[in-house]
Amino acid sequence: MRFSRYTPFGTARFAAQGGATGALGGDFSSVLSNPAGLAFFRSSEFVLSPSLYGMNTESEFMGNTTPESQMKFNLGSLGMVQAFSSKRSEGIVSASYAFGYQTLVNFNNHSTLRGTNNRSSLLDDFTWHANLDPDNLSPFYEELAFDSYLMPYDEESGQYWHDMQIDGYGQEVSRTSDQYGYIGEFSLSGALNVSNFLYVGASVGMHSVRFYEDIQHRETDADNHVVDLESFSFTEFNRTTGYGLASRLGLIVRPMDMLRLGATVQFPTVYRLTDSKYTSMNSYWDNGSGIADRTAVSPDGLYDYQLRTPFQASAQASLILFRMATLSLAYEYVDYTTARLDASGYSFMDENDQIRNAFQATHNLKAGGEIRLNALYLRGDAAPDESVCRSVEQRKSMDPIGRSRHPGKHSYLDFSYSHGRKYEVYGLYSYEPGINEVAHNTITAHSILCTLGFRF
């Protein structure tokens, strides 16, 4: 899901109308929604869209709510469209091509959770996994707990155990998670205008993937009810980098001046990804326990694999009212059950079966509108997303507002503000098979996007 769901930033006009402008065209972000829309350009154009992206996260865990926030710079889009006119009214009336960069996903998020856990510990996860195969401990997890004296082995029972299973739970838990990175697309696109009735376009792009996740988990025996143990910490660093090849086709028909109908097919993107992992564990013991503090570290993990994202298709319609207003609608179909993993020497058969069973096809509706008041444009949208997972509901509300002001014929400046909220279940670990310790996060996103355009 992380690398298969896109929420493009694009231009301010695209963002302010929720990406519903596929049939409307005439915008650099048509590359993403419907490349046929590039054929509506009558002049060449250069665009730059920087943005400020802020995230506020409230994590609820064991009755405590912990807020966190951050603000970061983001590049929404950067590119150029070159338009050519044949000066004909029939046949190939005009053509255009575009190249540039657009951000598809921003992974930035920072969360902290705190609470007193009276029922489980991260060591429960390590212990039951270790007891499944006592002679083959994971060097990234269970082996660290054993080497730091947190998970001893009982020779008589042939089982691993930890102190809280004997002395009881009630430790203070804190966890900080930092996620950052992006998926960006470098694209080359082209479009043709046929008799001012049919518009066709295609786009090919290379995706750059950078995902980073730093997790710091700590449990402290605050009331000293666990014999000898003071606290322990576990740190995990995950990295995913790689690239992918993407392509999409689009067409738009204009049966009358006020109506435009469009369709887009986005073929599965094939990613070649590399995961790297590093973990460490520290144990701290009470004075007088006779046990020295310990630190255990994992090797550097590295794994190469391929991911094929789901097939996507969309249909769009735009209504243009007397050159004063537009109303745009878009329907998007994405079948997440068709995503596939693969690697040299491993087929991912079980994981791909889980994708088919756990995910589902989604049907997303988007709507956007624009009102023109001389040089001022007012825009807004509604674009809720349907849940990807069969058994988990995800709610998201969007309330973007956009404004554009055109100071002259050869340049323009657009602004948009987007506000979004979503709820997620954050899994910390499994303390029994099929039973997870979770927190509930409320994530509020704010984005201020500015597009500066030059026509030539």
Side-chain angles (χ1 to χ4, degrees):
M1 282 171 49
R2 177 179 296 137
F3 305 115
S4 299
R5 303 186 76 187
Y6 305 136
T7 53
F9 283 74
T11 63
R13 185 188 188 196
F14 175 86
Q17 299 189 67
T21 56
L24 190 60
D27 185 83
F28 178 67
S29 290
S30 296
V31 171
L32 302 177
S33 57
N34 189 334
L38 296 172
F40 286 93
F41 276 87
R42 297 182 179 180
S43 61
S44 300
E45 192 170 303
F46 171 82
V47 296
L48 171 65
S49 302
S51 72
L52 286 176
Y53 185 71
M55 298 284 287
N56 299 322
T57 303
E58 292 186 349
S59 299
E60 192 278 325
F61 179 69
M62 297 297 171
N64 290 340
T65 299
T66 307
E68 291 284 2
S69 63
Q70 65 174 4
M71 179 73 73
K72 291 195 175 182
F73 172 81
N74 182 71
L75 180 61
S77 62
L78 172 65
M80 189 185 76
V81 180
Q82 188 79 39
F84 305 92
S85 174
S86 67
K87 299 182 180 180
R88 298 166 55 186
S89 59
E90 295 184 354
I92 304 299
V93 175
S94 64
S96 61
Y97 73 89
F99 61 89
Y101 169 87
Q102 303 197 65
T103 298
L104 302 181
V105 182
N106 187 316
F107 291 122
N108 291 334
N109 190 26
H110 177 75
S111 65
T112 299
L113 59 88
R114 297 184 180 92
T116 301
N117 195 335
N118 293 304
R119 66 187 177 205
S120 73
S121 166
L122 175 64
L123 295 178
D124 289 324
D125 183 295
F126 290 1
T127 302
W128 76 262
H129 276 99
N131 288 326
L132 291 176
D133 191 356
D135 297 324
N136 187 25
L137 302 184
S138 167
F140 298 99
Y141 299 105
E142 293 83 44
E143 191 172 307
L144 300 186
F146 178 76
D147 290 342
S148 56
Y149 301 156
L150 291 166
M151 190 182 70
Y153 182 71
D154 188 327
E155 296 285 352
E156 292 185 5
S157 65
Q159 296 282 308
Y160 290 95
W161 59 278
H162 64 83
D163 289 311
M164 281 169 280
Q165 290 176 330
I166 298 174
D167 299 328
Y169 301 94
Q171 70 280 10
E172 291 185 358
V173 177
S174 66
R175 175 179 287 218
T176 300
S177 174
D178 275 303
Q179 294 183 352
Y180 47 101
Y182 63 90
I183 298 178
E185 178 177 291
F186 299 88
S187 62
L188 177 63
S189 311
L192 296 174
N193 174 357
V194 181
S195 301
N196 291 316
F197 172 78
L198 175 64
Y199 304 79
V200 295
S203 174
V204 294
M206 176 171 287
H207 289 187
S208 175
V209 178
R210 297 291 184 272
F211 173 76
Y212 307 95
E213 181 183 42
D214 302 339
I215 298 173
Q216 294 182 327
H217 181 99
R218 188 178 187 92
E219 299 187 20
T220 303
D221 180 27
D223 60 5
N224 203 31
H225 72 276
V226 180
V227 177
D228 294 334
L229 180 65
E230 178 186 308
S231 65
F232 74 87
S233 64
F234 175 75
T235 305
E236 183 172 0
F237 300 97
N238 295 305
R239 305 287 186 268
T240 299
T241 58
Y243 66 92
L245 299 177
S247 61
R248 59 184 69 89
L249 297 175
L251 64 86
I252 298 173
V253 294
R254 188 167 68 168
M256 58 185 73
D257 288 343
M258 65 182 299
L259 180 63
R260 299 176 186 179
L261 304 174
T264 309
V265 172
Q266 179 164 325
F267 299 100
T269 300
V270 178
Y271 287 113
R272 285 176 169 79
L273 303 174
T274 298
D275 280 1
S276 58
K277 178 187 288 288
Y278 172 82
T279 58
S280 66
M281 203 156 196
N282 294 276
S283 62
Y284 306 93
W285 304 91
D286 295 333
N287 292 331
S289 66
I291 306 175
D293 297 345
R294 296 281 294 180
T295 297
V297 298
S298 74
D300 293 327
L302 202 65
Y303 190 72
D304 298 323
Y305 61 101
Q306 295 181 16
L307 167 66
R308 188 184 72 202
T309 66
F311 170 83
Q312 301 183 34
S314 64
Q316 313 102 21
S318 289
L319 191 63
I320 303 172
L321 305 173
F322 310 109
R323 298 182 180 271
M324 296 294 295
T326 65
L327 176 63
S328 298
L329 302 172
Y331 161 77
E332 181 183 66
Y333 172 82
V334 187
D335 188 358
Y336 289 94
T337 67
T338 62
R340 292 293 180 270
L341 293 163
D342 195 11
S344 176
Y346 186 71
S347 63
F348 284 93
M349 292 182 62
D350 292 339
E351 291 82 359
N352 289 330
D353 284 342
Q354 291 179 25
I355 290 174
R356 278 188 288 264
N357 295 328
F359 292 172
Q360 65 181 2
T362 63
H363 308 269
N364 301 317
L365 294 175
K366 304 176 182 179
E370 177 182 84
I371 299 175
R372 179 178 180 179
L373 303 173
N374 293 323
L376 182 67
Y377 292 76
L378 302 178
R379 300 174 177 133
D381 89 281
D385 288 340
E386 186 178 3
S387 174
V388 176
C389 296
R390 299 181 190 273
S391 58
V392 178
E393 292 186 2
Q394 181 179 26
R395 296 168 290 166
K396 183 178 182 182
S397 61
M398 298 297 294
D399 185 23
I401 300 173
R403 293 181 175 87
S404 305
R405 183 176 294 277
H406 295 252
K409 293 183 178 180
H410 301 293
S411 64
Y412 63 89
L413 186 63
D414 284 4
F415 290 93
S416 73
Y417 167 75
S418 296
H419 169 88
R421 175 171 291 186
K422 67 178 180 180
Y423 306 89
E424 70 174 15
V425 178
Y426 175 81
L428 284 78
Y429 52 83
S430 299
Y431 57 91
E432 291 181 18
I435 303 178
N436 301 321
E437 195 66 84
V438 302
H440 295 86
N441 292 340
T442 301
I443 302 173
T444 305
H446 306 270
S447 178
I448 300 174
L449 184 66
C450 168
T451 295
L452 179 62
F454 298 94
R455 297 188 179 99
F456 56 93

